Amino acid sequence: MCLGIPGKILDTHEDGSLRMGRIDYGGVVKEACLAYVPDAKPGDYVLVHADFALNVLSPDEAEETLKLFRELDQTT
Amino acid sequence: MKYLDEYRDPKTTAELLAQIRRTVTKPWTIMEICGGQTHSFLRHGLDAMLPAPIELVHGPGCPVCVTPLEQIDRAAAIAARPEVIFTSFGDMLRVPGSEQDLFAVRAKGGDVRVVYSPLDALAIAGANPDKQVVFFAIGFETTAPPNAMAVLQARERGLKNFSMLVSHVRVPPAIEAILSAPSNRVQAFLAAGHVCTVMGYWEYEPLAAKFRTPIVVTGFEPVDLLRGLLAAVRQLESGRPEVENAYARLVSREGNRPAQDAIGRAFLECDRAWRGIGVIPASGWKLRDALAEFDAEKRFDVGRIAPKESPLCIAGEVLQGVKKPPECPAFGKQCTPQCPLGAPMVSAEGACAAYFRYRT
Ligand code: SF4
């Protein structure tokens, strides 16, 4: 139940007082509430749980981690 | 998909395992708190690939498992009422109550519906003004922001026919309870990444210091899990207990402030009973008094509940990492996913279900 899934915001719209967005999960598209990620914009990756985006994925941190892995590959 | 495939890469997984093997010199017992991580470890066979000195034990982070039996019985009693549409995440329907589960209530004519989000429950309430719609609001800090938003929206929309049966739990008090138990064997924790996405990890810092225990914020993919383990082993080997973030692409120290604000507006900290474990002080959230009109416990009087647990089930010990599921005499015999005696055999996050699925 606590498993969030990363997805990419395609576009955003308002539903009453809630900011919503269409999220692409590698081909499957579903709506999610963006109330908790007020600065998220189309193209951003978000972690979604129970149709709520809980955070925006940081591309810098993701790149940093992947760089560490590439170095790891070379040292072993 | 981007930001997913990289963290499932078999080559990186193998490199990380090799690093762990090179780092470890002594036996260590490490607990992953989150049942989602338990399933991930077993599904990918990672636990079996770890060097022998490392023992993984599985924690209580299965929301379905720790929801108290009394609350399951109350849910069944409310769901059986003719005026009620009872909505819940799917896993809850098969959790055994004292007499019956929610599926049995549905089979007898109760209107019990599976939803993926509490917003679905709000939509059902909007579409059925002549019915009382109840949402079973359970879960850890990850599920609290969606559930908080649902009740805040219900107030904003003036919905008179929506209420929530709340049984929320929090991770840090559970870690404290595990470390304080005289029987504790756990020497380091992998903290649940998605809980920390919401709450950050500042709450864990006093715990790591007080109990001199490493706590590593860890994600869910194979590479994430091994990276978290490697960090924990490094800390243990060097005697440097601290909170470390191995999931920085989604977790910051502060967490998600707007989500925390919404939780604060909807919920209040409270003592909470954990199924099989008992009451843990300040380990739960309940609805604030200002939202009492949306509290299903207040709206529906179901009389006295006298919960009766299966005498065979040792879920409490399993959930605290004292025993592993195959050590339960009922495991795979009287208790299977088709006919579960305890909640850990039901859930997609339950340790017993994970062992049954991947180890039998
Ligand atoms: S195997 Fe079944 S009876 Fe045994 S602890 Fe797990 S859920 Fe309970």
Side-chain angles (χ1 to χ4, degrees):
Chain A
M1 184 169 306
C2 296
L3 277 186
I5 327 162
K8 187 177 175 179
I9 302 179
L10 294 177
D11 47 37
T12 68
H13 60 274
E14 305 291 324
D15 180 3
S17 64
L18 287 183
R19 186 160 170 261
M20 307 291 290
R22 284 193 316 137
I23 314 289
D24 178 1
Y25 305 96
V28 180
V29 176
K30 207 174 169 228
E31 251 192 29
C33 178
L34 302 179
Y36 296 133
V37 287
D39 301 327
K41 47 187 193 313
D44 286 348
Y45 283 79
V46 284
L47 178 83
V48 181
H49 170 64
D51 292 347
F52 278 76
L54 293 182
N55 230 339
V56 181
L57 188 139
S58 154
D60 292 350
E61 291 289 355
E63 282 310 320
E64 190 59 31
T65 311
L66 296 175
K67 211 174 90 206
L68 281 177
F69 293 154
R70 283 192 286 270
E71 285 165 12
L72 190 81
D73 281 5
Q74 279 153 18
T75 55
T76 47
Chain B
M1 201 177 90
K2 199 176 167 200
Y3 298 130
L4 211 49
D5 298 338
E6 300 94 323
Y7 298 95
R8 294 178 176 167
D9 177 43
K11 188 150 173 268
T12 315
T13 306
E15 301 296 354
L16 282 164
L17 274 166
Q19 288 246 352
I20 293 173
R21 230 171 276 128
R22 279 199 299 275
T23 309
V24 68
T25 65
K26 293 196 237 5
W28 300 111
T29 304
I30 303 174
M31 175 182 273
E32 85 278 2
I33 280 286
C34 170
Q37 292 176 334
T38 308
H39 272 251
S40 207
F41 270 123
L42 272 82
R43 180 167 60 240
H44 299 287
L46 296 174
D47 56 320
M49 289 190 251
L50 291 173
I54 298 180
E55 190 192 355
L56 268 189
V57 293
H58 316 306
C62 161
V64 168
C65 303
V66 300
T67 300
L69 181 55
E70 185 187 340
Q71 218 54 339
I72 308 281
D73 290 348
R74 186 169 283 120
I78 293 173
R81 296 168 80 108
E83 77 276 24
V84 166
I85 299 176
F86 195 88
T87 58
S88 166
F89 296 123
D91 270 359
M92 292 307 284
L93 269 58
R94 294 184 52 241
V95 173
S98 300
E99 305 294 340
Q100 58 182 354
D101 59 20
L102 284 163
F103 261 124
V105 174
R106 180 153 89 182
K108 288 181 207 149
D111 193 343
V112 179
R113 302 187 192 180
V114 170
V115 292
Y116 297 98
S117 163
L119 292 184
D120 299 340
L122 279 188
I124 294 173
N128 295 274
D130 52 332
K131 288 278 193 177
Q132 282 292 329
V133 175
V134 182
F135 175 68
F136 204 170
I138 67 140
F140 281 90
E141 292 95 325
T142 336
T143 320
N147 293 353
M149 186 57 80
V151 70
L152 295 170
Q153 280 286 311
R155 178 167 66 183
E156 191 179 311
R157 297 181 199 173
L159 279 178
K160 296 282 173 234
N161 65 330
F162 177 82
S163 60
M164 299 204 311
L165 182 59
V166 178
S167 197
H168 266 294
V169 277
R170 304 169 52 233
V171 169
I175 291 189
E176 172 136 35
I178 288 168
L179 287 173
S180 305
S183 58
N184 173 55
R185 300 185 298 133
V186 179
Q187 293 163 295
F189 285 94
L190 305 186
H194 292 161
V195 162
C196 299
T197 295
V198 174
M199 300 307 291
Y201 51 84
W202 54 273
E203 286 179 290
Y204 298 90
E205 289 165 357
L207 289 171
K210 178 176 168 192
F211 294 96
R212 301 199 46 77
T213 302
I215 302 178
V216 182
V217 180
T218 301
F220 294 78
E221 301 302 332
V223 165
D224 289 317
L225 290 167
L226 292 180
R227 194 167 161 238
L229 265 184
L230 176 61
V233 171
R234 278 189 179 144
Q235 284 199 42
L236 287 166
E237 289 283 342
S238 63
R240 175 177 52 95
E242 52 194 40
V243 178
E244 192 171 331
N245 185 6
Y247 201 36
R249 69 185 184 278
L250 277 162
V251 173
S252 63
R253 184 174 181 275
E254 313 69 55
N256 182 326
R257 279 291 159 77
Q260 292 169 25
D261 286 350
I263 291 172
R265 273 183 284 140
F267 300 127
L268 200 63
E269 234 169 75
C270 65
D271 297 348
R272 175 79 67 203
W274 295 48
R275 188 171 188 173
I277 298 177
V279 174
I280 303 178
S283 68
W285 278 315
K286 61 178 185 181
L287 278 175
R288 285 193 168 274
D289 286 344
L291 293 162
E293 59 175 307
F294 298 100
D295 190 341
E297 281 186 57
K298 301 208 165 82
R299 190 170 294 188
F300 304 97
D301 179 9
V302 294
R304 216 176 71 83
I305 304 256
K308 198 165 85 271
E309 196 69 80
S310 157
L312 290 177
C313 182
I314 59 155
E317 286 166 282
V318 170
L319 287 166
Q320 291 168 94
V322 178
K323 287 205 174 137
K324 297 247 167 101
E327 293 173 60
C328 171
F331 176 80
K333 301 189 183 83
Q334 296 96 326
C335 181
T336 63
Q338 284 69 42
C339 183
L341 287 183
M345 189 54 97
V346 172
S347 164
E349 284 153 332
C352 300
Y355 274 79
F356 190 87
R357 192 150 160 211
Y358 303 115
R359 291 288 182 277
T360 57

